[in-house]
Amino acid sequence: MSKLKIAELFYSIQGEGRYMGVPSVFLRTFGCNFKCAGFGMPRGELSTEVETIAFAHDNIPYKDYKDLPLVSTGCDSYASWDPRFKDLSPMLTTDAIADRITEILPFNEWEDEHLVITGGEPLLGWQRAYPDLLSHPKMTGLKEITFETNGTQKLDPKFKEYLTDWSFGSDEREITFSVSAKLPCSGEVWEEAILPEIVCEYEQVGTAYLKFVIATEQDFADAECAIAAYRRVGFKGHVYLMPVGGVESVYALNNRTVADLAMKNGLRYSDRLQVPLFKNEWGT
Ligand code: SF4
């Protein structure tokens, strides 16, 4: 039986992208190939907020995700990949994960809920374990899955074949890749973050769309360059602009500006409903 290192597993409303407002189970895997310490910082500077939290965790360990402080700069899900917090993410069997999902679904079985496999970066090595989970008898009623990815990981050939069989086995089943490609404002390097051929491959398996986090006009100019690069290799999916802001004070500063930018340029706007609704607390 396969195992997955799970940072969080919770039930909430999807706050972003295509399934905004849909009741969803979130499975947050541990590990990421990026750090995204540039979010919310002046260009060229990296956030050090997590250093203080890691120092505190080293001295008096936090017992649970819900106790961890939120950050206003850098990656807002830092504990899902930073090795200094790995003790908070248990390694669970697919049986245990399926049991837990059944417990948190409102009617203890899949109805109209959607599964979000997120991270961290959920398309790292965990691709090998997903078929075991998705084939579990308790997952039978599941119809819609979204992978929230940074769009840098190729699909493992066996997993690609499994997903193709899964979605084409039933007209009702749908797979989505919500690709949050990282622009320079994230602090990541363009050549490692904008990989259009990889995202085009996702379109062979399901629906893929791009979602860019925007704080400034410069970010939008970067997004335009990235969109052109994806289109050049044949990417057909929709494009969303989403305001930066893991905390309400930051989000509220630029959500209207980003909505205006999206309208002006004929692009889609994605909110971050989890921020105004739930203050972006862990487990929401
Ligand atoms: S890719 Fe996502 S999870 Fe990974 S560091 Fe960046 S924002 Fe965080």
Side-chain angles (χ1 to χ4, degrees), residues 48-104:
T48 54
E49 261 188 89
V50 172
E51 302 309 308
T52 317
I53 302 168
F55 181 76
H57 185 54
D58 207 27
N59 286 289
I60 307 171
Y62 293 101
K63 298 261 185 309
D64 193 90
Y65 262 76
K66 291 194 164 39
D67 304 328
L68 286 167
L70 302 178
V71 292
S72 56
T73 55
C75 168
D76 61 359
S77 55
Y78 62 90
S80 69
W81 54 263
D82 189 317
R84 292 170 293 186
F85 302 95
K86 68 176 188 224
D87 54 305
L88 294 173
S89 296
M91 189 70 94
L92 299 178
T93 63
T94 47
D95 259 359
I97 295 168
D99 284 349
R100 178 74 190 123
I101 288 175
T102 309
E103 277 167 30
I104 61 178

Side-chain angles (χ1 to χ4, degrees), residues 17-225:
R18 180 186 187 194
Y19 285 96
M20 202 165 65
V22 175
S24 305
V25 170
F26 288 79
L27 181 67
R28 189 186 298 286
T29 58
F30 185 86
C32 188
N33 54 323
F34 286 158
K35 291 192 168 75
C36 296
F39 281 135
M41 299 296 290
R43 274 275 154 138
E45 291 182 29
L46 299 177
S47 169
T48 54
E49 261 188 89
V50 172
E51 302 309 308
T52 317
I53 302 168
F55 181 76
H57 185 54
D58 207 27
N59 286 289
I60 307 171
Y62 293 101
K63 298 261 185 309
D64 193 90
Y65 262 76
K66 291 194 164 39
D67 304 328
L68 286 167
L70 302 178
V71 292
S72 56
T73 55
C75 168
D76 61 359
S77 55
Y78 62 90
S80 69
W81 54 263
D82 189 317
R84 292 170 293 186
F85 302 95
K86 68 176 188 224
D87 54 305
L88 294 173
S89 296
M91 189 70 94
L92 299 178
T93 63
T94 47
D95 259 359
I97 295 168
D99 284 349
R100 178 74 190 123
I101 288 175
T102 309
E103 277 167 30
I104 61 178
L105 284 168
F107 299 103
N108 305 119
E109 59 183 11
W110 291 98
E111 301 269 341
D112 195 28
E113 303 86 2
H114 138 258
L115 175 66
V116 185
I117 303 186
T118 187
E121 171 46 53
L123 295 179
L124 292 173
W126 305 124
Q127 289 188 44
R128 286 191 290 276
Y130 297 139
D132 253 10
L133 176 65
L134 298 176
S135 303
H136 194 282
K138 291 187 174 172
M139 303 295 274
T140 307
L142 172 65
K143 298 188 189 77
E144 292 161 307
I145 307 172
T146 294
F147 292 94
E148 289 188 333
T149 171
N150 58 29
T152 61
Q153 301 302 307
K154 278 179 75 65
L155 292 177
D156 171 79
K158 282 194 182 145
F159 183 49
K160 186 177 175 184
E161 195 182 322
Y162 176 86
L163 286 181
T164 307
D165 290 349
W166 187 87
S167 59
F168 288 107
S170 157
D171 287 347
E172 294 181 312
R173 287 183 177 169
E174 196 157 356
I175 293 169
T176 300
F177 294 86
S178 171
V179 180
S180 183
K182 299 304 177 224
L183 296 173
C185 62
S186 67
E188 298 300 326
V189 177
W190 184 281
E191 290 72 20
E192 291 170 15
I194 306 298
L195 301 177
E197 283 86 1
I198 286 179
V199 175
C200 277
E201 191 192 14
Y202 301 163
E203 286 193 305
Q204 295 167 14
V205 176
T207 300
Y209 64 83
L210 293 164
K211 192 175 63 179
F212 292 105
V213 176
I214 304 289
T216 63
E217 291 277 346
Q218 177 63 56
D219 298 339
F220 181 65
D222 291 338
E224 283 186 302
C225 289

